[in-house]
Protein backbone atom coordinates (compact mmCIF):
# COMPACT_ATOMS: atom_id res chain seq x y z
CA UNK A 1 0.00 0.00 0.00
CA UNK A 2 2.53 2.51 -1.19
CA UNK A 3 1.78 6.15 -0.61
CA UNK A 4 -0.30 5.46 2.48
CA UNK A 5 2.30 6.12 5.16
CA UNK A 6 1.08 9.60 6.10
CA UNK A 7 -2.60 9.36 5.19
CA UNK A 8 -5.20 8.10 7.64
CA UNK A 9 -5.46 4.35 7.76
CA UNK A 10 -8.23 2.78 5.64
CA UNK A 11 -9.51 0.96 8.77
CA UNK A 12 -11.22 4.15 9.94
CA UNK A 13 -8.96 5.06 12.85
CA UNK A 14 -7.34 8.51 12.65
CA UNK A 15 -3.74 7.21 12.84
CA UNK A 16 -1.50 7.27 9.77
CA UNK A 17 -1.36 3.92 7.96
CA UNK A 18 2.24 3.15 8.98
CA UNK A 19 1.45 3.64 12.70
CA UNK A 20 -1.87 1.81 12.48
CA UNK A 21 -2.53 -1.26 10.31
CA UNK A 22 0.58 -0.83 8.18
CA UNK A 23 2.81 -2.18 10.94
CA UNK A 24 0.71 -5.37 11.08
CA UNK A 25 0.61 -5.87 7.32
CA UNK A 26 4.38 -5.35 7.08
CA UNK A 27 5.03 -7.89 9.84
CA UNK A 28 6.69 -5.29 12.11
CA UNK A 29 4.11 -5.98 14.83
CA UNK A 30 1.30 -8.41 15.61
CA UNK A 31 -2.26 -7.21 16.08
CA UNK A 32 -2.81 -6.98 19.87
CA UNK A 33 -6.56 -7.66 19.77
CA UNK A 34 -9.24 -9.29 17.66
CA UNK A 35 -10.54 -5.86 16.67
CA UNK A 36 -7.08 -4.69 15.60
CA UNK A 37 -6.69 -7.82 13.50
CA UNK A 38 -10.13 -7.33 11.93
CA UNK A 39 -9.26 -3.71 11.08
CA UNK A 40 -5.94 -4.79 9.57
CA UNK A 41 -7.68 -7.47 7.52
CA UNK A 42 -10.12 -4.85 6.18
CA UNK A 43 -7.08 -2.73 5.26
CA UNK A 44 -5.61 -5.78 3.50
CA UNK A 45 -8.82 -6.16 1.50
CA UNK A 46 -8.58 -2.47 0.52
CA UNK A 47 -4.99 -3.03 -0.65
CA UNK A 48 -5.69 -6.50 -2.12
CA UNK A 49 -3.04 -8.11 0.10
CA UNK A 50 -4.13 -11.75 -0.18
CA UNK A 51 -0.90 -12.94 1.46
CA UNK A 52 -1.68 -11.10 4.69
CA UNK A 53 -5.27 -12.30 4.66
CA UNK A 54 -4.14 -15.92 4.30
CA UNK A 55 -1.42 -15.55 6.98
CA UNK A 56 -3.97 -14.21 9.47
CA UNK A 57 -6.58 -16.90 8.75
CA UNK A 58 -6.94 -19.84 11.16
CA UNK A 59 -5.23 -22.94 9.70
CA UNK A 60 -8.40 -24.95 10.34
CA UNK A 61 -10.59 -22.72 8.13
CA UNK A 62 -8.08 -21.06 5.76
CA UNK A 63 -8.72 -21.61 2.05
CA UNK A 64 -5.90 -22.92 -0.12
CA UNK A 65 -5.92 -19.66 -2.08
CA UNK A 66 -7.75 -16.37 -2.16
CA UNK A 67 -8.76 -14.59 -5.32
CA UNK A 68 -9.71 -10.98 -4.59
CA UNK A 69 -12.04 -9.23 -7.00
CA UNK A 70 -10.12 -6.29 -8.51
CA UNK A 71 -13.39 -4.48 -9.26
CA UNK A 72 -14.49 -4.24 -5.60
CA UNK A 73 -13.73 -0.80 -4.14
CA UNK A 74 -13.97 -0.78 -0.35
CA UNK A 75 -15.12 2.61 0.92
CA UNK A 76 -15.39 2.42 4.71
CA UNK A 77 -15.44 0.35 7.86
CA UNK A 78 -17.71 0.70 10.88
CA UNK A 79 -17.05 -1.46 13.94
CA UNK A 80 -20.39 -2.08 15.61
CA UNK A 81 -19.28 -4.14 18.60
CA UNK A 82 -16.78 -6.59 20.02
CA UNK A 83 -16.71 -9.27 22.70
CA UNK A 84 -13.56 -10.74 24.21
CA UNK A 85 -10.57 -10.47 21.92
CA UNK A 86 -8.22 -8.63 24.28
CA UNK A 87 -4.86 -9.63 25.73
CA UNK A 88 -6.80 -11.46 28.45
CA UNK A 89 -8.85 -13.64 26.07
CA UNK A 90 -8.26 -16.58 23.75
CA UNK A 91 -11.33 -15.92 21.59
CA UNK A 92 -13.27 -12.89 20.47
CA UNK A 93 -15.89 -11.62 18.07
CA UNK A 94 -16.12 -8.39 16.14
CA UNK A 95 -19.29 -7.19 14.47
CA UNK A 96 -18.77 -4.72 11.64
CA UNK A 97 -20.15 -3.22 8.48
CA UNK A 98 -17.74 -2.82 5.57
CA UNK A 99 -18.98 -0.60 2.76
CA UNK A 100 -18.02 -1.02 -0.86
CA UNK A 101 -19.09 0.80 -3.96
CA UNK A 102 -22.61 -0.50 -4.55
CA UNK A 103 -23.30 -2.14 -1.20
CA UNK A 104 -22.06 -3.28 2.17
CA UNK A 105 -21.08 -6.40 4.09
CA UNK A 106 -22.41 -6.85 7.64
CA UNK A 107 -20.63 -9.64 9.53
CA UNK A 108 -19.90 -11.00 12.98
CA UNK A 109 -16.40 -12.46 12.74
CA UNK A 110 -14.87 -14.98 15.13
CA UNK A 111 -11.21 -14.86 16.13
CA UNK A 112 -8.92 -17.13 18.14
CA UNK A 113 -5.36 -17.03 19.33
CA UNK A 114 -3.01 -19.52 17.68
CA UNK A 115 0.51 -19.65 19.12
CA UNK A 116 -0.20 -16.30 20.79
CA UNK A 117 -1.32 -14.50 17.60
CA UNK A 118 -4.87 -13.48 16.74
CA UNK A 119 -6.30 -15.14 13.62
CA UNK A 120 -9.63 -14.97 11.81
CA UNK A 121 -11.68 -18.17 12.14
CA UNK A 122 -14.93 -17.49 10.30
CA UNK A 123 -17.95 -15.24 10.33
CA UNK A 124 -21.70 -15.01 10.01
CA UNK A 125 -23.28 -12.61 7.57
CA UNK A 126 -25.94 -10.48 9.22
CA UNK A 127 -29.02 -8.82 7.77
CA UNK A 128 -29.03 -5.03 7.65
Amino acid sequence: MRGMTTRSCPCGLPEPYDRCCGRYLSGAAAAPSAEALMRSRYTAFVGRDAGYLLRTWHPRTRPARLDLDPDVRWTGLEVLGATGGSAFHTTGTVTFRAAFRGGSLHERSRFERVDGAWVYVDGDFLED
Side-chain angles (χ1 to χ4, degrees), residues 3-81:
M4 298 216 49
T5 56
T6 57
R7 292 185 19 204
S8 291
C9 191
C11 80
L13 295 177
E15 293 293 320
Y17 169 79
D18 61 346
R19 289 201 321 249
C20 194
C21 293
R23 59 195 167 136
Y24 309 137
L25 274 75
S26 73
S33 68
E35 181 178 333
L37 181 66
M38 188 280 308
R39 287 180 178 278
S40 71
R41 286 176 56 84
Y42 170 82
T43 299
F45 273 104
V46 170
R48 294 184 195 87
D49 188 343
Y52 180 78
L53 292 166
L54 290 169
R55 283 191 307 277
T56 58
W57 211 310
H58 197 293
R60 183 177 73 238
T61 57
R62 178 178 35 222
R65 59 182 266 197
L66 187 61
D67 296 317
L68 300 175
D69 186 342
D71 295 328
V72 173
R73 298 286 182 254
W74 296 98
T75 59
L77 176 66
E78 179 184 9
V79 174
L80 303 171

